[in-house]
Amino acid sequence: MSINVLNSSKNDVTDAESLRQLEFIELAKQKVSALEKELGRKPKACVVTFGCQMNARDSEKLLAILKLAGYEETDSEDSDFVIYNTCTVRDNADQRVFGRLGQCSNHKKSNPHMKIAICGCMMQEQEAVEKIQKSYRFVDLIFGTHNIYKFAELLNTCLESDRMIIDIWKETDKIVEDLPVFRKYPFKSGVNIMFGCNNFCTYCIVPYVRGRERSRAPKDIIRECEKLAADGVKEVMLLGQNVNSYGLDFKDDDPGKISFAHLLELVCEIEGIERVRFMTPHPKDFSDELLDVIAKNRKIARHIHLPLQSGNTEILRRMNRKYTKDDYLSLVQKIRTKLPDVAITTDIIVGFPGETKEAVDDTIDVVKKAHFNNAFTFIYSKRTGTPAASFEDQVPEELVKENFDRLLKVVQEEAKEQTLKYDGQIQRVLIESVNDHDESLLTGRMSNNTLVHFPGNKEMIGEFADVKLLECHGFYYVGELI
Ligand code: 5AD
Ligand code: SF4
Protein backbone atom coordinates (compact mmCIF):
# COMPACT_ATOMS: atom_id res chain seq x y z
CA MET A 1 0.00 0.00 0.00
CA SER A 2 1.32 3.36 -0.86
CA ILE A 3 1.33 6.92 0.28
CA ASN A 4 1.32 9.44 -2.52
CA VAL A 5 2.16 13.10 -2.44
CA LEU A 6 0.82 14.52 -5.68
CA ASN A 7 2.75 17.37 -7.20
CA SER A 8 0.55 20.07 -8.57
CA SER A 9 0.73 23.54 -9.90
CA LYS A 10 -2.96 24.36 -9.74
CA ASN A 11 -2.56 27.65 -8.02
CA ASP A 12 -0.23 29.32 -5.58
CA VAL A 13 -2.73 29.55 -2.76
CA THR A 14 -3.32 25.80 -2.54
CA ASP A 15 0.36 25.07 -3.18
CA ALA A 16 1.31 27.24 -0.23
CA GLU A 17 -1.36 25.62 1.91
CA SER A 18 -0.32 22.08 1.08
CA LEU A 19 3.31 22.94 1.84
CA ARG A 20 2.20 24.40 5.17
CA GLN A 21 0.38 21.19 5.99
CA LEU A 22 3.40 19.09 5.04
CA GLU A 23 5.39 21.13 7.58
CA PHE A 24 2.82 20.29 10.23
CA ILE A 25 3.30 16.62 9.45
CA GLU A 26 7.00 17.05 10.25
CA LEU A 27 6.11 18.68 13.57
CA ALA A 28 3.61 15.94 14.37
CA LYS A 29 6.33 13.36 13.65
CA GLN A 30 8.43 14.75 16.47
CA LYS A 31 5.52 14.57 18.90
CA VAL A 32 4.57 11.03 17.90
CA SER A 33 8.19 9.94 18.14
CA ALA A 34 8.37 11.32 21.70
CA LEU A 35 5.19 9.43 22.51
CA GLU A 36 6.70 6.25 21.06
CA LYS A 37 9.68 6.59 23.42
CA GLU A 38 7.38 7.13 26.38
CA LEU A 39 5.16 4.17 25.54
CA GLY A 40 8.02 1.88 24.53
CA ARG A 41 6.08 0.88 21.39
CA LYS A 42 4.78 2.44 18.20
CA PRO A 43 1.58 4.45 18.85
CA LYS A 44 -1.47 3.13 17.02
CA ALA A 45 -4.19 5.01 15.16
CA CYS A 46 -7.64 3.92 14.01
CA VAL A 47 -9.85 5.69 11.46
CA VAL A 48 -13.53 4.75 11.69
CA THR A 49 -15.57 5.70 8.62
CA PHE A 50 -19.33 6.11 8.33
CA GLY A 51 -21.29 6.91 5.18
CA CYS A 52 -20.50 7.26 1.52
CA GLN A 53 -17.57 6.82 -0.88
CA MET A 54 -16.64 10.48 -0.43
CA ASN A 55 -16.12 9.87 3.28
CA ALA A 56 -14.13 6.72 2.53
CA ARG A 57 -11.84 8.80 0.33
CA ASP A 58 -11.51 11.49 3.03
CA SER A 59 -10.56 8.78 5.50
CA GLU A 60 -7.73 7.68 3.22
CA LYS A 61 -6.40 11.23 3.49
CA LEU A 62 -6.71 11.24 7.30
CA LEU A 63 -4.95 7.89 7.56
CA ALA A 64 -2.09 9.06 5.33
CA ILE A 65 -1.38 11.95 7.67
CA LEU A 66 -1.53 9.74 10.76
CA LYS A 67 0.83 7.22 9.17
CA LEU A 68 3.26 9.89 7.98
CA ALA A 69 3.22 11.31 11.52
CA GLY A 70 4.39 7.91 12.77
CA TYR A 71 1.26 6.09 13.89
CA GLU A 72 0.73 2.45 13.03
CA GLU A 73 -2.66 1.69 11.50
CA THR A 74 -5.03 -0.54 13.45
CA ASP A 75 -8.70 -1.56 13.11
CA SER A 76 -9.20 -1.49 16.87
CA GLU A 77 -10.54 1.58 18.63
CA ASP A 78 -8.44 0.50 21.64
CA SER A 79 -5.59 2.61 20.26
CA ASP A 80 -3.71 5.87 20.84
CA PHE A 81 -5.54 8.00 18.28
CA VAL A 82 -9.09 7.30 17.11
CA ILE A 83 -10.87 9.44 14.58
CA TYR A 84 -14.52 9.06 13.65
CA ASN A 85 -15.34 10.36 10.17
CA THR A 86 -19.08 10.82 10.46
CA CYS A 87 -22.14 10.83 8.21
CA THR A 88 -25.43 12.55 8.94
CA VAL A 89 -27.57 11.60 5.94
CA ARG A 90 -29.84 9.53 8.17
CA ASP A 91 -30.41 9.61 11.91
CA ASN A 92 -29.23 6.03 12.47
CA ALA A 93 -25.72 7.02 11.36
CA ASP A 94 -25.70 9.73 14.06
CA GLN A 95 -26.86 7.26 16.70
CA ARG A 96 -24.17 4.75 15.76
CA VAL A 97 -21.46 7.38 16.21
CA PHE A 98 -22.68 8.31 19.67
CA GLY A 99 -22.79 4.62 20.63
CA ARG A 100 -19.21 4.07 19.45
CA LEU A 101 -18.01 7.26 21.17
CA GLY A 102 -19.51 6.07 24.46
CA GLN A 103 -17.60 2.77 24.20
CA CYS A 104 -14.42 4.59 23.27
CA SER A 105 -14.43 6.55 26.52
CA ASN A 106 -13.73 3.25 28.33
CA HIS A 107 -10.53 2.79 26.33
CA LYS A 108 -9.47 6.30 27.25
CA LYS A 109 -9.86 5.53 30.95
CA SER A 110 -7.19 2.84 30.67
CA ASN A 111 -4.97 4.77 28.21
CA PRO A 112 -4.38 8.37 29.36
CA HIS A 113 -2.39 9.12 26.17
CA MET A 114 -5.35 8.36 23.99
CA LYS A 115 -6.77 11.11 21.76
CA ILE A 116 -10.26 10.96 20.32
CA ALA A 117 -11.18 13.04 17.26
CA ILE A 118 -14.43 13.39 15.37
CA CYS A 119 -14.96 15.01 11.98
CA GLY A 120 -17.13 14.86 8.85
CA CYS A 121 -20.70 15.79 7.93
CA MET A 122 -22.28 15.39 11.36
CA MET A 123 -19.87 17.97 12.78
CA GLN A 124 -21.30 20.60 10.42
CA GLU A 125 -24.47 20.45 12.52
CA GLN A 126 -24.43 22.71 15.51
CA GLU A 127 -26.70 20.45 17.58
CA ALA A 128 -24.35 17.49 17.23
CA VAL A 129 -21.32 19.56 18.26
CA GLU A 130 -23.19 20.98 21.25
CA LYS A 131 -24.15 17.47 22.33
CA ILE A 132 -20.49 16.38 22.24
CA GLN A 133 -19.37 19.49 24.12
CA LYS A 134 -21.94 18.76 26.79
CA SER A 135 -22.05 15.00 27.13
CA TYR A 136 -18.84 13.69 25.57
CA ARG A 137 -16.24 15.91 27.24
CA PHE A 138 -13.49 13.34 26.67
CA VAL A 139 -13.38 14.13 22.91
CA ASP A 140 -10.12 15.97 22.07
CA LEU A 141 -10.68 17.29 18.55
CA ILE A 142 -13.73 18.25 16.48
CA PHE A 143 -13.61 19.54 12.91
CA GLY A 144 -15.93 19.59 9.91
CA THR A 145 -15.93 18.87 6.19
CA HIS A 146 -14.53 22.17 4.88
CA ASN A 147 -11.20 22.18 6.70
CA ILE A 148 -10.29 18.51 6.52
CA TYR A 149 -7.20 19.56 4.54
CA LYS A 150 -5.94 21.13 7.79
CA PHE A 151 -5.87 17.82 9.65
CA ALA A 152 -2.07 17.79 10.02
CA GLU A 153 -2.23 21.20 11.69
CA LEU A 154 -5.15 20.20 13.91
CA LEU A 155 -3.39 16.97 14.87
CA ASN A 156 -0.42 19.03 16.09
CA THR A 157 -2.58 21.34 18.13
CA CYS A 158 -4.40 18.38 19.59
CA LEU A 159 -1.17 16.58 20.54
CA GLU A 160 0.08 19.58 22.48
CA SER A 161 -3.14 20.50 24.25
CA ASP A 162 -5.38 18.95 26.89
CA ARG A 163 -8.37 21.06 25.93
CA MET A 164 -11.12 20.10 23.48
CA ILE A 165 -10.16 21.69 20.11
CA ILE A 166 -13.08 22.69 17.91
CA ASP A 167 -12.56 24.06 14.40
CA ILE A 168 -15.62 24.13 12.17
CA TRP A 169 -16.13 26.31 9.11
CA LYS A 170 -19.48 27.21 7.60
CA GLU A 171 -18.31 27.21 3.99
CA THR A 172 -15.23 27.22 1.83
CA ASP A 173 -14.48 27.90 -1.81
CA LYS A 174 -11.02 26.40 -1.48
CA ILE A 175 -9.85 23.06 -2.84
CA VAL A 176 -6.43 22.19 -1.53
CA GLU A 177 -4.54 19.89 -3.89
CA ASP A 178 -1.45 17.81 -3.24
CA LEU A 179 -2.13 16.45 0.20
CA PRO A 180 -0.90 12.98 1.06
CA VAL A 181 -3.34 10.15 0.61
CA PHE A 182 -3.20 6.54 1.69
CA ARG A 183 -4.98 4.04 -0.53
CA LYS A 184 -6.82 1.16 1.04
CA TYR A 185 -6.42 -0.85 -2.18
CA PRO A 186 -3.22 -0.60 -4.25
CA PHE A 187 -5.10 -1.37 -7.49
CA LYS A 188 -8.20 0.82 -7.27
CA SER A 189 -8.92 4.30 -6.02
CA GLY A 190 -11.62 6.90 -5.66
CA VAL A 191 -10.87 10.30 -7.19
CA ASN A 192 -12.85 13.35 -6.07
CA ILE A 193 -13.89 15.40 -9.06
CA MET A 194 -16.14 17.82 -7.19
CA PHE A 195 -17.32 18.64 -3.72
CA GLY A 196 -20.70 19.81 -2.41
CA CYS A 197 -24.18 19.81 -3.90
CA ASN A 198 -26.52 22.51 -5.24
CA ASN A 199 -29.65 20.42 -5.65
CA PHE A 200 -31.36 20.85 -2.31
CA CYS A 201 -33.57 17.79 -2.45
CA THR A 202 -36.00 18.63 0.35
CA TYR A 203 -35.15 15.59 2.53
CA CYS A 204 -31.38 15.91 2.22
CA ILE A 205 -28.87 17.44 4.61
CA VAL A 206 -25.88 17.14 2.24
CA PRO A 207 -26.06 20.65 0.66
CA TYR A 208 -26.03 22.14 4.18
CA VAL A 209 -23.08 20.13 5.47
CA ARG A 210 -20.98 19.83 2.30
CA GLY A 211 -21.62 23.30 0.88
CA ARG A 212 -22.01 24.46 -2.73
CA GLU A 213 -20.66 22.60 -5.73
CA ARG A 214 -16.93 23.11 -6.33
CA SER A 215 -15.30 21.26 -9.22
CA ARG A 216 -11.61 20.42 -9.32
CA ALA A 217 -9.71 21.65 -12.36
CA PRO A 218 -9.60 18.94 -15.07
CA LYS A 219 -5.79 19.08 -15.17
CA ASP A 220 -5.59 18.32 -11.45
CA ILE A 221 -7.94 15.36 -11.83
CA ILE A 222 -6.08 14.00 -14.85
CA ARG A 223 -2.74 14.42 -13.16
CA GLU A 224 -3.99 12.59 -10.09
CA CYS A 225 -5.26 9.74 -12.28
CA GLU A 226 -1.97 9.60 -14.18
CA LYS A 227 -0.04 9.38 -10.91
CA LEU A 228 -2.37 6.66 -9.69
CA ALA A 229 -1.88 4.73 -12.93
CA ALA A 230 1.90 5.08 -12.61
CA ASP A 231 1.53 3.71 -9.10
CA GLY A 232 -0.30 0.58 -10.29
CA VAL A 233 -3.93 1.65 -9.99
CA LYS A 234 -6.08 -0.02 -12.67
CA GLU A 235 -9.54 1.18 -11.72
CA VAL A 236 -10.66 4.64 -10.69
CA MET A 237 -14.02 5.80 -9.44
CA LEU A 238 -14.77 9.47 -10.12
CA LEU A 239 -16.62 10.81 -7.09
CA GLY A 240 -19.07 13.66 -6.59
CA GLN A 241 -22.54 14.17 -5.12
CA ASN A 242 -23.85 14.93 -8.60
CA VAL A 243 -21.14 14.15 -11.12
CA ASN A 244 -23.05 15.38 -14.13
CA SER A 245 -22.99 18.92 -12.77
CA TYR A 246 -19.20 18.71 -13.02
CA GLY A 247 -17.66 21.95 -14.31
CA LEU A 248 -20.89 23.98 -14.23
CA ASP A 249 -19.36 26.16 -11.52
CA PHE A 250 -16.50 27.25 -13.80
CA LYS A 251 -16.77 30.61 -15.58
CA ASP A 252 -17.84 30.33 -19.24
CA ASP A 253 -14.51 31.69 -20.47
CA ASP A 254 -12.45 29.34 -18.26
CA PRO A 255 -10.41 27.13 -20.60
CA GLY A 256 -10.76 24.37 -18.01
CA LYS A 257 -14.56 24.33 -18.36
CA ILE A 258 -15.41 20.89 -19.71
CA SER A 259 -18.39 18.61 -19.30
CA PHE A 260 -18.39 15.49 -17.15
CA ALA A 261 -18.66 13.40 -20.33
CA HIS A 262 -15.52 15.00 -21.71
CA LEU A 263 -13.69 14.52 -18.42
CA LEU A 264 -14.59 10.81 -18.53
CA GLU A 265 -13.14 10.58 -22.04
CA LEU A 266 -9.90 12.18 -20.89
CA VAL A 267 -9.59 9.79 -17.95
CA CYS A 268 -10.17 6.83 -20.30
CA GLU A 269 -7.22 7.97 -22.42
CA ILE A 270 -4.80 7.41 -19.54
CA GLU A 271 -2.63 4.39 -20.14
CA GLY A 272 -2.80 1.89 -17.31
CA ILE A 273 -6.29 2.88 -16.18
CA GLU A 274 -8.34 -0.04 -17.41
CA ARG A 275 -11.69 0.56 -15.78
CA VAL A 276 -13.47 3.78 -14.91
CA ARG A 277 -16.50 4.09 -12.63
CA PHE A 278 -18.40 7.13 -11.47
CA MET A 279 -20.76 7.92 -8.61
CA THR A 280 -23.33 9.53 -8.47
CA PRO A 281 -25.19 10.96 -11.47
CA HIS A 282 -28.53 12.75 -11.02
CA PRO A 283 -31.29 11.61 -13.41
CA LYS A 284 -32.35 15.21 -14.12
CA ASP A 285 -29.19 15.99 -16.03
CA PHE A 286 -27.99 12.73 -17.48
CA SER A 287 -26.97 13.92 -20.96
CA ASP A 288 -27.02 12.13 -24.32
CA GLU A 289 -23.37 13.17 -24.64
CA LEU A 290 -22.58 11.16 -21.48
CA LEU A 291 -24.43 8.11 -22.80
CA ASP A 292 -22.58 8.31 -26.11
CA VAL A 293 -19.22 8.53 -24.34
CA ILE A 294 -20.05 5.49 -22.22
CA ALA A 295 -21.31 3.54 -25.25
CA LYS A 296 -18.11 4.31 -27.19
CA ASN A 297 -15.73 3.45 -24.41
CA ARG A 298 -15.34 -0.08 -23.06
CA LYS A 299 -13.14 1.17 -20.22
CA ILE A 300 -16.20 2.73 -18.61
CA ALA A 301 -17.88 0.22 -16.32
CA ARG A 302 -21.27 -1.12 -17.39
CA HIS A 303 -22.89 0.09 -14.20
CA ILE A 304 -24.96 3.18 -13.62
CA HIS A 305 -26.17 4.05 -10.15
CA LEU A 306 -29.17 6.26 -10.82
CA PRO A 307 -30.98 7.34 -7.64
CA LEU A 308 -34.75 7.18 -8.11
CA GLN A 309 -35.82 8.14 -4.53
CA SER A 310 -39.53 7.72 -5.42
CA GLY A 311 -41.54 6.52 -8.40
CA ASN A 312 -44.45 8.86 -7.69
CA THR A 313 -44.46 12.13 -9.60
CA GLU A 314 -46.09 14.16 -6.83
CA ILE A 315 -43.64 12.88 -4.20
CA LEU A 316 -40.77 13.59 -6.61
CA ARG A 317 -42.05 17.16 -6.97
CA ARG A 318 -42.18 17.56 -3.20
CA MET A 319 -38.69 16.09 -2.96
CA ASN A 320 -37.49 18.72 -5.49
CA ARG A 321 -36.03 16.01 -7.71
CA LYS A 322 -36.99 17.82 -10.96
CA TYR A 323 -38.13 14.74 -12.90
CA THR A 324 -41.35 12.74 -13.14
CA LYS A 325 -41.99 9.01 -13.04
CA ASP A 326 -42.19 8.99 -16.85
CA ASP A 327 -39.00 11.07 -17.26
CA TYR A 328 -37.15 8.52 -15.16
CA LEU A 329 -38.54 5.53 -17.03
CA SER A 330 -37.74 7.14 -20.41
CA LEU A 331 -34.18 7.75 -19.27
CA VAL A 332 -33.83 4.12 -18.19
CA GLN A 333 -35.22 3.04 -21.55
CA LYS A 334 -32.73 5.26 -23.38
CA ILE A 335 -29.83 3.94 -21.28
CA ARG A 336 -30.83 0.33 -21.91
CA THR A 337 -31.15 0.91 -25.65
CA LYS A 338 -27.69 2.47 -25.91
CA LEU A 339 -26.01 0.21 -23.34
CA PRO A 340 -27.71 -3.19 -23.55
CA ASP A 341 -25.29 -4.83 -21.09
CA VAL A 342 -25.51 -2.15 -18.38
CA ALA A 343 -26.58 -2.81 -14.79
CA ILE A 344 -28.69 -0.06 -13.27
CA THR A 345 -28.89 0.29 -9.50
CA THR A 346 -30.69 2.88 -7.45
CA ASP A 347 -31.53 4.49 -4.10
CA ILE A 348 -35.11 4.65 -2.86
CA ILE A 349 -36.56 6.42 0.16
CA VAL A 350 -39.73 5.07 1.78
CA GLY A 351 -41.87 7.17 4.11
CA PHE A 352 -41.25 10.66 2.73
CA PRO A 353 -43.95 13.04 4.10
CA GLY A 354 -47.27 12.56 2.31
CA GLU A 355 -46.31 9.20 0.79
CA THR A 356 -49.41 7.00 0.50
CA LYS A 357 -49.71 3.30 -0.24
CA GLU A 358 -50.59 4.26 -3.82
CA ALA A 359 -47.44 6.37 -4.14
CA VAL A 360 -45.38 3.36 -3.08
CA ASP A 361 -47.25 1.30 -5.71
CA ASP A 362 -45.81 3.76 -8.26
CA THR A 363 -42.31 3.18 -6.88
CA ILE A 364 -42.83 -0.59 -7.08
CA ASP A 365 -44.05 -0.15 -10.66
CA VAL A 366 -40.81 1.67 -11.56
CA VAL A 367 -38.71 -1.05 -9.87
CA LYS A 368 -40.45 -3.64 -12.05
CA LYS A 369 -40.23 -1.63 -15.26
CA ALA A 370 -36.67 -0.37 -14.77
CA HIS A 371 -35.40 -3.89 -13.90
CA PHE A 372 -32.95 -2.61 -11.32
CA ASN A 373 -30.01 -4.92 -10.68
CA ASN A 374 -30.08 -3.72 -7.10
CA ALA A 375 -31.61 -0.97 -5.00
CA PHE A 376 -30.62 0.54 -1.69
CA THR A 377 -33.85 1.16 0.18
CA PHE A 378 -33.91 3.66 3.03
CA ILE A 379 -36.55 4.66 5.51
CA TYR A 380 -37.06 8.42 5.40
CA SER A 381 -35.17 10.12 8.20
CA LYS A 382 -36.21 13.59 9.27
CA ARG A 383 -33.18 15.89 9.15
CA THR A 384 -33.46 19.12 11.14
CA GLY A 385 -33.05 22.17 8.93
CA THR A 386 -34.25 20.52 5.71
CA PRO A 387 -37.58 21.68 4.19
CA ALA A 388 -39.17 18.23 4.47
CA ALA A 389 -38.61 18.18 8.24
CA SER A 390 -41.35 20.79 8.58
CA PHE A 391 -43.80 19.13 6.16
CA GLU A 392 -46.90 18.34 8.14
CA ASP A 393 -47.95 15.01 6.70
CA GLN A 394 -45.22 12.78 8.20
CA VAL A 395 -46.12 9.13 7.58
CA PRO A 396 -47.05 6.83 10.52
CA GLU A 397 -44.32 4.31 11.35
CA GLU A 398 -46.49 1.23 10.72
CA LEU A 399 -47.42 2.34 7.22
CA VAL A 400 -43.76 3.07 6.46
CA LYS A 401 -42.74 -0.39 7.68
CA GLU A 402 -45.49 -2.08 5.64
CA ASN A 403 -44.57 -0.15 2.49
CA PHE A 404 -40.86 -0.76 3.04
CA ASP A 405 -41.37 -4.53 3.30
CA ARG A 406 -43.56 -4.59 0.19
CA LEU A 407 -40.98 -2.65 -1.77
CA LEU A 408 -38.02 -4.68 -0.52
CA LYS A 409 -39.66 -7.93 -1.65
CA VAL A 410 -40.01 -6.64 -5.22
CA VAL A 411 -36.50 -5.15 -5.20
CA GLN A 412 -35.03 -8.50 -4.17
CA GLU A 413 -37.04 -10.49 -6.73
CA GLU A 414 -36.04 -8.11 -9.51
CA ALA A 415 -32.37 -8.09 -8.44
CA LYS A 416 -32.26 -11.90 -8.45
CA GLU A 417 -33.84 -12.07 -11.88
CA GLN A 418 -31.41 -9.51 -13.31
CA THR A 419 -28.34 -11.14 -11.76
CA LEU A 420 -29.42 -14.53 -13.14
CA LYS A 421 -29.19 -13.16 -16.67
CA TYR A 422 -25.41 -13.48 -16.58
CA ASP A 423 -25.49 -17.20 -15.72
CA GLY A 424 -22.93 -19.20 -17.72
CA GLN A 425 -21.24 -16.10 -19.15
CA ILE A 426 -17.52 -15.41 -19.10
CA GLN A 427 -16.88 -12.04 -17.46
CA ARG A 428 -13.76 -9.98 -16.93
CA VAL A 429 -13.32 -9.24 -13.23
CA LEU A 430 -10.91 -7.16 -11.22
CA ILE A 431 -9.75 -9.44 -8.39
CA GLU A 432 -10.14 -7.43 -5.18
CA SER A 433 -9.58 -9.70 -2.17
CA VAL A 434 -9.57 -13.09 -0.55
CA ASN A 435 -13.14 -14.14 0.20
CA ASP A 436 -14.27 -13.08 3.69
CA HIS A 437 -15.63 -16.53 4.60
CA ASP A 438 -13.48 -18.98 2.65
CA GLU A 439 -9.74 -18.43 2.24
CA SER A 440 -9.50 -20.70 -0.78
CA LEU A 441 -11.71 -18.32 -2.75
CA LEU A 442 -10.96 -14.94 -4.31
CA THR A 443 -13.51 -12.19 -4.82
CA GLY A 444 -13.68 -10.23 -8.05
CA ARG A 445 -15.93 -7.49 -9.36
CA MET A 446 -17.48 -7.52 -12.80
CA SER A 447 -17.76 -4.39 -14.92
CA ASN A 448 -21.44 -4.22 -13.91
CA ASN A 449 -20.39 -4.26 -10.22
CA THR A 450 -21.63 -7.82 -9.48
CA LEU A 451 -19.31 -9.83 -7.22
CA VAL A 452 -18.07 -13.28 -8.12
CA HIS A 453 -16.20 -15.73 -5.87
CA PHE A 454 -13.90 -18.36 -7.37
CA PRO A 455 -10.96 -20.57 -6.40
CA GLY A 456 -7.63 -18.87 -6.93
CA ASN A 457 -4.31 -17.78 -5.58
CA LYS A 458 -4.08 -14.55 -3.57
CA GLU A 459 -1.06 -13.47 -5.67
CA MET A 460 -3.68 -12.59 -8.29
CA ILE A 461 -5.28 -9.84 -6.21
CA GLY A 462 -5.20 -6.59 -8.17
CA GLU A 463 -5.21 -8.35 -11.56
CA PHE A 464 -7.95 -8.62 -14.14
CA ALA A 465 -9.04 -12.16 -15.02
CA ASP A 466 -11.74 -13.92 -17.00
CA VAL A 467 -14.14 -15.92 -14.88
CA LYS A 468 -16.94 -18.27 -15.91
CA LEU A 469 -20.10 -17.64 -13.90
CA LEU A 470 -21.32 -21.01 -12.66
CA GLU A 471 -23.83 -20.54 -9.85
CA CYS A 472 -26.01 -17.53 -9.18
CA HIS A 473 -26.64 -16.89 -5.47
CA GLY A 474 -29.08 -14.00 -5.67
CA PHE A 475 -26.78 -10.98 -5.67
CA TYR A 476 -23.49 -12.71 -6.45
CA TYR A 477 -21.96 -15.59 -8.38
CA VAL A 478 -19.66 -18.49 -7.73
CA GLY A 479 -17.43 -19.16 -10.72
CA GLU A 480 -14.11 -20.47 -12.00
CA LEU A 481 -11.08 -18.91 -13.65
CA ILE A 482 -10.72 -19.74 -17.31
N1 5AD B 1 -33.70 9.95 4.77
C1 5AD B 1 -33.52 8.75 4.18
N2 5AD B 1 -32.66 8.57 3.16
C2 5AD B 1 -31.96 9.63 2.72
N3 5AD B 1 -31.04 9.76 1.75
C3 5AD B 1 -30.63 11.04 1.71
N4 5AD B 1 -31.26 11.76 2.65
C4 5AD B 1 -32.10 10.90 3.30
C5 5AD B 1 -33.02 11.05 4.36
N5 5AD B 1 -33.23 12.23 4.97
C6 5AD B 1 -30.65 8.66 0.89
C7 5AD B 1 -30.96 8.98 -0.59
C8 5AD B 1 -29.60 9.18 -1.18
C9 5AD B 1 -28.75 8.26 -0.33
C10 5AD B 1 -27.29 8.53 -0.36
O1 5AD B 1 -29.26 8.45 0.97
O2 5AD B 1 -31.58 7.84 -1.16
O3 5AD B 1 -29.53 8.86 -2.55
FE1 SF4 C 1 -28.70 15.16 -1.39
FE2 SF4 C 1 -30.14 15.55 -3.62
FE3 SF4 C 1 -27.64 16.54 -3.44
FE4 SF4 C 1 -27.99 13.90 -3.67
S1 SF4 C 1 -28.57 15.43 -5.21
S2 SF4 C 1 -26.61 14.95 -2.22
S3 SF4 C 1 -29.90 13.58 -2.51
S4 SF4 C 1 -29.42 17.15 -2.22
Side-chain angles (χ1 to χ4, degrees):
M1 297 200 197
S2 50
I3 294 179
N4 236 348
V5 181
L6 299 165
N7 296 312
S8 158
S9 54
K10 189 188 175 209
N11 69 48
D12 293 346
V13 181
T14 62
D15 270 2
E17 184 57 50
S18 58
L19 286 176
R20 236 183 112 243
Q21 294 304 319
L22 294 177
E23 280 165 22
F24 281 115
I25 294 177
E26 290 307 312
L27 286 176
K29 254 187 200 164
Q30 295 165 16
K31 297 191 178 84
V32 177
S33 154
L35 180 61
E36 182 173 346
K37 284 203 187 89
E38 201 179 330
L39 296 173
R41 59 169 173 82
K42 220 170 157 55
K44 292 187 181 148
C46 171
V47 181
V48 184
T49 311
F50 295 86
C52 65
Q53 310 267 0
M54 308 277 274
N55 261 19
R57 184 66 177 155
D58 282 347
S59 287
E60 293 186 335
K61 297 174 186 169
L62 298 169
L63 187 59
I65 288 166
L66 289 165
K67 288 182 78 121
L68 287 171
Y71 285 98
E72 188 178 283
E73 182 191 0
T74 169
D75 287 340
S76 162
E77 283 151 83
D78 187 3
S79 66
D80 305 291
F81 196 104
V82 177
I83 179 158
Y84 294 93
N85 188 7
T86 62
C87 167
T88 188
V89 161
R90 287 170 293 276
D91 184 55
N92 54 0
D94 286 15
Q95 295 318 321
R96 271 165 53 218
V97 172
F98 286 121
R100 296 281 280 268
L101 260 186
Q103 284 171 7
C104 208
S105 71
N106 295 328
H107 298 312
K108 195 163 181 172
K109 281 179 199 138
S110 54
N111 179 1
H113 296 285
M114 184 178 186
K115 295 281 185 188
I116 301 177
I118 176 159
C119 67
C121 293
M122 197 174 137
M123 297 303 103
Q124 292 296 137
E125 290 186 285
Q126 204 177 336
E127 273 174 22
V129 175
E130 281 168 6
K131 182 164 170 178
I132 293 171
Q133 279 178 289
K134 194 163 152 250
S135 312
Y136 298 82
R137 292 293 315 156
F138 54 86
V139 169
D140 299 281
L141 170 64
I142 306 179
F143 59 101
T145 55
H146 301 302
N147 54 348
I148 194 164
Y149 71 85
K150 272 182 67 183
F151 178 53
E153 185 175 350
L154 293 167
L155 173 65
N156 256 282
T157 318
C158 173
L159 290 174
E160 64 197 14
S161 165
D162 287 330
R163 288 180 306 119
M164 184 189 272
I165 317 278
I166 305 180
D167 191 3
I168 291 155
W169 299 0
K170 266 202 137 98
E171 268 285 358
T172 185
D173 54 4
K174 198 145 118 179
I175 298 177
V176 179
E177 297 288 342
D178 305 337
L179 292 170
V181 55
F182 171 85
R183 290 198 318 279
K184 192 167 170 203
Y185 299 96
F187 51 86
K188 68 170 188 177
S189 178
V191 173
N192 297 109
I193 63 163
M194 60 191 301
F195 303 92
C197 180
N198 289 355
N199 288 315
F200 290 95
C201 301
T202 54
Y203 51 81
C204 187
I205 194 83
V206 168
Y208 305 90
V209 296
R210 287 263 173 189
R212 295 294 65 69
E213 285 172 3
R214 282 151 286 140
S215 303
R216 287 177 71 197
K219 69 173 164 56
D220 290 329
I221 297 169
I222 298 301
R223 212 178 21 127
E224 179 173 351
C225 293
E226 284 170 352
K227 287 258 178 191
L228 289 169
D231 212 24
V233 167
K234 298 188 173 122
E235 177 181 298
V236 290
M237 184 185 278
L238 307 185
L239 297 172
Q241 302 294 350
N242 175 10
V243 288
N244 30 26
S245 305
Y246 172 78
L248 297 183
D249 52 322
F250 291 150
K251 293 206 176 76
D252 283 341
D253 58 354
D254 187 330
K257 186 174 175 108
I258 60 170
S259 65
F260 173 61
H262 190 186
L263 178 74
L264 258 184
E265 270 184 314
L266 295 178
V267 173
C268 288
E269 280 168 18
I270 299 171
E271 210 173 307
I273 299 291
E274 294 180 44
R275 200 181 260 174
V276 182
R277 300 183 180 278
F278 58 88
M279 184 89 100
T280 312
H282 193 303
K284 78 176 162 58
D285 33 32
F286 202 105
S287 68
D288 287 349
E289 184 202 8
L290 177 57
L291 261 184
D292 290 338
V293 166
I294 303 173
K296 257 194 324 225
N297 213 316
R298 291 305 305 182
K299 277 193 183 180
I300 304 173
R302 267 30 196 170
H303 172 216
I304 296 178
H305 185 69
L306 194 67
L308 166 68
Q309 313 301 5
S310 165
N312 176 270
T313 297
E314 175 56 12
I315 294 291
L316 286 167
R317 190 190 63 75
R318 286 162 53 100
M319 285 177 161
N320 193 28
R321 290 293 291 176
K322 302 196 172 78
Y323 52 85
T324 64
K325 175 185 182 187
D326 287 345
D327 293 339
Y328 188 94
L329 283 172
S330 316
L331 176 60
V332 167
Q333 189 54 45
K334 194 156 68 174
I335 294 173
R336 293 218 183 269
T337 309
K338 285 209 172 155
L339 307 170
D341 55 347
V342 81
I344 303 180
T345 58
T346 200
D347 290 342
I348 298 171
I349 298 176
V350 180
F352 183 82
E355 189 182 57
T356 57
K357 181 176 175 296
E358 290 69 32
V360 178
D361 290 341
D362 274 333
T363 305
I364 290 176
D365 190 42
V366 175
V367 172
K368 287 182 177 160
K369 290 186 173 141
H371 302 303
F372 292 124
N373 291 66
N374 203 354
F376 297 99
T377 46
F378 304 109
I379 287 182
Y380 168 72
S381 170
K382 192 171 170 176
R383 307 316 288 140
T384 312
T386 61
S390 54
F391 290 180
E392 272 167 13
D393 38 4
Q394 304 285 329
V395 186
E397 219 172 282
E398 284 127 63
L399 180 59
V400 176
K401 174 103 191 36
E402 217 174 275
N403 283 334
F404 185 86
D405 291 346
R406 264 184 336 119
L407 172 71
L408 191 63
K409 194 165 159 275
V410 181
V411 161
Q412 286 173 342
E413 284 164 6
E414 197 58 51
K416 233 189 215 167
E417 208 175 306
Q418 293 311 310
T419 310
L420 199 57
K421 286 190 174 159
Y422 300 85
D423 204 16
Q425 287 188 8
I426 292 167
Q427 285 274 340
R428 195 147 184 79
V429 305
L430 176 57
I431 305 175
E432 296 194 346
S433 58
V434 170
N435 183 288
D436 288 342
H437 306 290
D438 179 347
E439 278 202 4
S440 69
L441 298 180
L442 298 175
T443 297
R445 196 178 291 272
M446 289 158 44
S447 172
N448 75 4
N449 214 35
T450 303
L451 292 178
V452 47
H453 309 289
F454 51 91
N457 181 329
K458 67 171 187 255
E459 311 289 291
M460 296 180 72
I461 292 173
E463 302 294 327
F464 278 95
D466 289 329
V467 173
K468 179 152 193 195
L469 308 178
L470 298 176
E471 283 167 37
C472 180
H473 289 250
F475 295 96
Y476 67 90
Y477 271 95
V478 170
E480 67 184 9
L481 282 165
I482 59 152

